[in-house]
Amino acid sequence: MAAAPAIPLNPTLSDRFAGMDRAQRLRLGLGVALFVAVAVIGLVMGRQAEWRVLYANLPDKDGGAIVAQLTTMNVPYKHADGGGAILVPADKVHETRLRLASLGLPKGSVAGFEMMESNRFGMTQFQERLTFQRGLEGELTRSIQALSSVQSARVHLALPNQNGFFREQQKPSASVLISLNAGQTLDRAQLAGIVHLVASSVPDMNSKAVSVLDDTGKLLSTPPDGELSAGGGDAQQMQHVLQLEQLYTRRIMDILEPVVGRNNVKAQVTAELDFSQTEMTSESHKPNQLPDSTAIRSQQTSESTNGASGAPTGVPGAVTNQPPGPAAAPINGAPQALTAAGAAGNTGASKRESIINYEVDKTIRVVRGSTGMVKRISAAVVINHQTTTDAKGKVSTVPLTPEQIEKMTALVRETIGFSQERGDSVNLMNAPFALDKVTIEELPLWKQPELQELARSFAWPLGTLLFGALVLLGFVRPALKVLAQAPVRVLESGRALDAIESDEPDRPQLAAPTKTAESLAPTQAQLALEDARKLTRDNPAAVANIVKSWINNEAPA
């Protein structure tokens, strides 16, 4: 029989691998492959960032602007849902949104007259008119959104079809819906500007046919003549009252907040204004004045002579040759009788008449009362209790003293221009403010967002490590234990090794010890050893199989 190939006493790794059976080799190879795959997956997933949605459903114009800005900011991004969403790393979502918002992105795409550039061949007249209307609405929307206080706007135009055969043409109209920025308002001048902008952009449109509403549905534009607001007054008048009340309230807050602290004072002011228009006309006459200070309206003088006058009578001298003096009779007095000398001197038939008309003194005064006069002002102010801290650090609240309340009431009166004749009233009350108790529901530990986020961040590394440990203990470690064992040598063909040879070299056998009387009596261990030796000599193949099963950790056959 041919001798079996001998196995060296110090086998290499290849020799140990060659001594394994097919199942052991397959298990070792599968374990090593799984372990390498787990290591690669864990490395890739550990380096891959978690992506979150930055913006979704963006128009193409805004999407392109945002992508260009992300490239400038060196922020990685990718697309999802067919380009409808932009994803960025989870740790940069909020920072990127704030930075883009500071740049005014996204703006929202509004199409204007560029829609007319894409007119296709074969468009009907209705389609052309509709495209023009949509383009005009877009241009007006862009113009209104250019205002600093307007966040977004929508313009709806009603353009009737003009036909020369109609006797009465229907006039166009428009509706504007605006959304204001937080804390911003539109004054009357801005609203009038928006109405004028829309009315001037559409031919034959009256400014009264333009309605401006806010996002709450409140009508901001002035209603047509004859229409009043729900409170029974003009909307402009109500706006004036509201602005006046806000002005007085702001004055009260500004004068009291430095004294009692912020959020420790509340004030409300009610103003009653008189918008009625009054007109008064008065006419007065002064008593008769002197002729020198009175204007002459008209003067008429007539003189007639009938025949020659008689010879002068009286004593000749200088007095008779003097002209008569001015009349001494008063203008408004009773007529005086002529003297005898005068009557005797007028013997001729001459007549002279003089009529003088003076202007009558008259004063006409017209007084028109101004609208929006303040009739009465009522102010209500509530001040919180003072907060004090004692020496032990205990915080408590104490009410204000009557002197403090009186001083603050005087401040409020001076602030609103208090008038006793007008009937103004000021009511200042000191009371503790009720604090809203916010009930915070304690979430279980496993429902807390921080813990969930931490678990998601460690899920892949821990899962990869656990799976790699299972592969290492279940597949690789048993195969490595097999490789660590020494192989069984074959002495000759057809016969198994009857013993495990030691790696130590053979040494000469020593003489057996001398048997004494005590050692002559066989013990149970010696009998079992003799039986094992006898079995080895009689059936070496069975013993070799038993040793082999021990090495492979298998149950004996």
Side-chain angles (χ1 to χ4, degrees):
M1 299 178 63
I7 299 178
L9 295 177
N10 297 322
T12 61
L13 184 61
S14 59
D15 296 334
R16 295 175 183 274
F17 186 76
M20 298 173 61
D21 55 5
R22 183 178 180 182
Q24 293 174 347
R25 294 177 182 178
L26 183 62
R27 182 182 301 174
L28 179 61
L30 182 61
V32 173
L34 288 177
F35 187 77
V36 173
V38 169
V40 172
I41 292 175
L43 183 63
V44 172
M45 295 304 297
R47 291 186 176 182
Q48 185 177 4
E50 185 179 1
W51 298 88
R52 295 285 181 86
V53 177
L54 180 64
Y55 292 110
N57 300 324
L58 287 175
D60 295 339
K61 184 177 180 180
D62 282 349
I66 290 176
V67 168
Q69 192 62 36
L70 290 178
T71 305
T72 306
M73 294 162 51
N74 294 326
V75 176
Y77 66 90
K78 68 178 182 178
H79 300 281
D81 298 335
I86 300 178
L87 307 180
V88 296
D91 56 343
K92 296 184 178 181
V93 171
H94 303 292
E95 179 185 359
T96 306
R97 285 179 181 173
L98 294 177
R99 295 176 64 182
L100 292 175
S102 64
L103 299 175
L105 294 175
K107 296 182 179 179
S109 177
V110 179
F113 280 139
E114 62 269 12
M115 299 176 60
M116 304 293 295
E117 300 176 358
S118 60
N119 289 344
R120 62 183 184 276
F121 180 76
M123 287 184 66
T124 62
Q125 185 179 3
F126 174 76
Q127 291 175 341
E128 290 181 356
R129 187 170 66 252
L130 182 61
T131 304
F132 172 77
Q133 179 177 344
R134 292 179 58 191
L136 183 58
E137 291 175 351
E139 294 294 334
L140 291 174
T141 301
R142 289 176 178 175
S143 301
I144 296 174
Q145 286 181 351
L147 298 177
S148 59
S149 57
V150 177
Q151 181 180 7
S152 61
R154 292 195 66 182
V155 179
H156 303 279
L157 298 177
L159 304 179
N161 187 14
Q162 302 295 335
N163 194 335
F165 295 99
F166 293 161
R167 179 173 300 176
E168 294 182 359
Q169 300 290 343
Q170 187 178 2
K171 299 298 182 181
S173 60
S175 299
V176 182
L177 178 64
I178 59 176
S179 177
L180 302 177
N181 293 320
Q184 298 289 333
T185 58
L186 292 177
D187 55 14
R188 305 305 302 178
Q190 291 175 324
L191 288 175
I194 294 175
V195 172
H196 184 73
L197 171 67
V198 177
S200 302
S201 302
V202 180
D204 299 332
M205 179 179 287
N206 193 349
S207 59
K208 296 181 180 180
V210 180
S211 301
V212 181
L213 292 83
D214 61 0
D215 50 4
T216 61
K218 183 175 63 176
L219 181 64
L220 301 179
S221 59
T222 304
D225 297 339
E227 296 184 8
L228 300 179
S229 62
D234 195 333
Q236 187 173 1
Q237 296 177 359
M238 301 299 294
Q239 183 71 16
H240 178 66
V241 174
L242 180 61
Q243 291 179 355
L244 185 62
E245 292 176 349
Q246 291 177 353
L247 175 62
Y248 282 127
T249 303
R250 187 67 263 169
R251 286 182 178 179
I252 295 174
M253 299 292 289
D254 291 342
I255 198 66
L256 291 182
E257 278 185 350
V259 179
V260 299
R262 193 175 182 87
N263 298 327
N264 286 326
V265 57
K266 300 295 180 181
Q268 290 293 332
V269 176
T270 303
E272 296 181 10
L273 276 68
D274 185 11
F275 292 99
S276 60
Q277 296 181 357
T278 59
E279 182 176 348
M280 183 180 62
T281 303
S282 62
E283 182 176 348
S284 61
H285 298 272
K286 293 183 179 180
N288 293 329
Q289 301 176 2
L290 298 176
D292 297 339
S293 61
T294 305
I296 298 176
R297 176 187 296 178
S298 62
Q299 182 177 2
Q300 182 180 358
T301 304
S302 64
E303 184 177 354
S304 63
T305 303
N306 187 8
S309 62
T313 61
V315 178
V319 179
T320 58
N321 293 328
Q322 294 292 330
I331 297 176
N332 299 322
Q336 297 180 0
L338 296 176
T339 63
N346 292 335
T347 58
S350 62
K351 182 180 180 181
R352 183 179 181 181
E353 295 181 357
S354 178
I355 301 174
I356 301 175
N357 296 322
Y358 295 94
E359 288 287 350
V360 178
D361 183 77
K362 181 175 63 174
T363 302
I364 299 176
R365 179 178 298 175
V366 179
V367 179
R368 293 184 177 89
S370 62
T371 60
M373 296 293 295
V374 178
K375 295 174 58 179
R376 186 173 182 270
I377 296 178
S378 302
V381 183
V382 180
I383 299 178
N384 191 15
H385 282 182
Q386 288 181 332
T387 303
T388 59
T389 305
D390 56 8
K392 297 181 179 180
K394 184 179 179 181
V395 179
S396 60
T397 58
V398 295
L400 299 176
T401 60
E403 292 78 9
Q404 292 177 329
I405 296 177
E406 183 63 28
K407 292 180 180 179
M408 292 181 184
T409 304
L411 285 177
V412 175
R413 288 177 178 174
E414 295 295 331
T415 302
I416 66 174
F418 181 83
S419 175
Q420 186 69 31
E421 294 78 7
R422 199 169 52 190
D424 297 346
S425 64
V426 174
N427 187 4
L428 190 145
M429 184 180 69
N430 179 227
F433 285 5
L435 301 178
D436 296 334
K437 295 183 179 180
V438 181
T439 304
I440 301 176
E441 183 180 357
E442 295 184 0
L443 295 176
L445 185 62
W446 57 276
K447 283 187 178 181
Q448 294 181 1
E450 297 82 3
L451 187 60
Q452 292 180 355
E453 188 69 22
L454 183 63
R456 279 193 293 267
S457 61
F458 283 99
W460 273 105
L462 292 179
T464 304
L465 183 61
L466 182 60
F467 188 72
L470 292 177
V471 171
L472 183 62
L473 296 177
F475 291 91
V476 179
R477 185 170 178 272
L480 293 179
K481 289 177 63 177
V482 173
L483 288 177
Q485 300 293 337
V488 180
R489 293 187 59 189
V490 179
L491 297 178
E492 51 185 42
S493 179
R495 293 184 60 188
L497 184 65
D498 57 348
I500 300 176
E501 181 159 14
S502 173
D503 292 337
E504 298 178 358
D506 296 336
R507 292 180 176 83
Q509 185 176 3
L510 300 176
T514 305
K515 296 182 180 180
T516 59
E518 292 81 4
S519 62
L520 293 178
T523 62
Q524 186 175 0
Q526 291 176 351
L527 294 177
L529 182 60
E530 284 295 326
D531 293 338
R533 290 175 179 173
K534 183 178 180 181
L535 180 62
T536 302
R537 288 190 297 269
D538 296 339
N539 195 356
V543 175
N545 290 333
I546 293 173
V547 174
K548 183 178 179 180
S549 64
W550 289 351
I551 295 175
N552 295 334
N553 293 328
E554 297 177 356

